[in-house]
Amino acid sequence: AQSVTQLGSHVSVSEGALVLLRCNYSSSVPPYLFWYVQYPNQGLQLLLKYTSAATLVKGINGFEAEFKKSETSFHLTKPSAHMSDAAEYFCAVSEGDSSYKLIFGSGTRLLVRP
Amino acid sequence: DAGVTQSPTHLIKTRGQHVTLRCSPISGHKSVSWYQQVLGQGPQFIFQYYEKEERGRGNFPDRFSARQFPNYSSELNVNALLLGDSALYLCASSWRTAVSGNTIYFGEGSWLTVV
């Protein structure tokens, strides 16, 4: 069975600092991995996805994530945090490239201090 | 192009009642999935429909049902509502290519409060 673990339910950074949100996955098949962002009282917006084409994936709003098979990780980073990045971030894995079912982590709330 | 649209955006129901939530996928998307997101948690998969057929079901009781129409829109129905059904219900539509696999887009959700 597949699963996702997001380390840290809350992460606080200063504006302009590096953002690092951690995600580890468990999968018996080559995983498809996703990061979504959820702003307060809104739905989920796709930030980026990994499909095995490249290990470093660039997404929207300056975010990127690196797939590391040896570490079963897919951590999300952004070089410089902006106040508008404050939101809930979810890592998710799908059961192979033909599956439409996503398994989500419990989320990490990013707080950005001025 | 319009994204995934859901209705209603907010609703309040009483325990024991029935609710119907509606979803229109992105134009051209044939797959629709439903997720439940309880406050403070990640979304949980409920159903997936493709070409009007149920292709997947999560660990939810039979009080939950869904269907997909010929225009690929979908309804989620929940009977005999419980307080624990209070959540954000998210609809997602999907597009798959041979190169990039599935890309799954979510709507803004329907907030259901059961009192």
Side-chain angles (χ1 to χ4, degrees):
Chain A
Q2 295 178 307
S3 65
V4 173
T5 302
Q6 291 185 243
L7 297 176
S9 60
H10 292 79
V11 170
S12 180
V13 300
S14 297
E15 191 174 18
L18 171 71
V19 175
L20 171 60
L21 304 181
R22 300 178 186 275
C23 172
N24 288 89
Y25 70 92
S26 172
S27 177
S28 58
V29 299
Y32 277 61
L33 295 158
F34 304 76
W35 275 100
Y36 286 87
V37 60
Q38 186 174 39
Y39 296 100
N41 300 315
Q42 294 188 23
L44 299 175
Q45 181 181 5
L46 179 65
L47 278 177
L48 50 82
K49 61 178 286 191
Y50 166 75
T51 61
S52 77
T55 56
L56 183 63
V57 183
K58 294 187 181 299
I60 62 171
N61 302 337
F63 285 94
E64 63 181 35
E66 185 173 9
F67 172 73
K68 292 186 177 180
K69 184 177 179 180
S70 61
E71 299 178 7
T72 61
S73 69
F74 190 57
H75 301 331
L76 182 71
T77 60
K78 182 174 180 177
S80 177
H82 191 272
M83 296 298 290
S84 60
D85 294 328
E88 187 91 19
Y89 291 79
F90 292 96
C91 181
V93 63
S94 71
E95 298 177 333
D97 66 345
S98 61
S99 172
Y100 299 91
K101 175 182 176 181
L102 289 176
I103 299 167
F104 283 87
S106 55
T108 298
R109 181 166 296 278
L110 176 65
L111 308 171
V112 182
R113 304 185 302 271
Chain B
D1 287 340
V4 179
T5 58
Q6 293 186 243
S7 63
T9 55
H10 295 80
L11 69 166
I12 300 173
K13 291 287 189 177
T14 304
R15 279 177 298 176
Q17 284 188 317
H18 161 270
V19 68
T20 297
L21 306 177
R22 296 176 176 82
C23 172
S24 292
I26 294 171
S27 178
H29 290 195
K30 299 181 179 179
S31 173
V32 170
S33 301
W34 288 95
Y35 290 77
Q36 180 196 64
Q37 186 179 17
V38 173
L39 196 63
Q41 298 181 19
Q44 297 290 318
F45 172 78
I46 310 175
F47 284 111
Q48 188 245 326
Y49 277 77
Y50 180 77
E51 291 279 15
K52 303 183 290 294
E53 291 187 4
E54 181 181 310
R55 295 296 184 91
R57 184 184 182 112
N59 187 24
F60 281 82
D62 292 343
R63 298 185 296 108
F64 288 76
S65 64
R67 55 179 175 169
Q68 188 177 30
F69 298 99
N71 66 353
Y72 303 111
S73 67
S74 177
E75 283 183 353
L76 175 69
N77 296 282
V78 187
N79 293 323
L81 285 167
L82 304 174
L83 295 179
D85 294 331
S86 296
L88 175 66
Y89 288 85
L90 294 162
C91 176
S93 75
S94 310
W95 172 258
R96 183 174 186 274
T97 69
V99 174
S100 62
N102 291 325
T103 302
I104 302 171
Y105 299 93
F106 285 83
E108 294 292 306
S110 293
W111 288 95
L112 171 64
T113 301
V114 182
V115 297

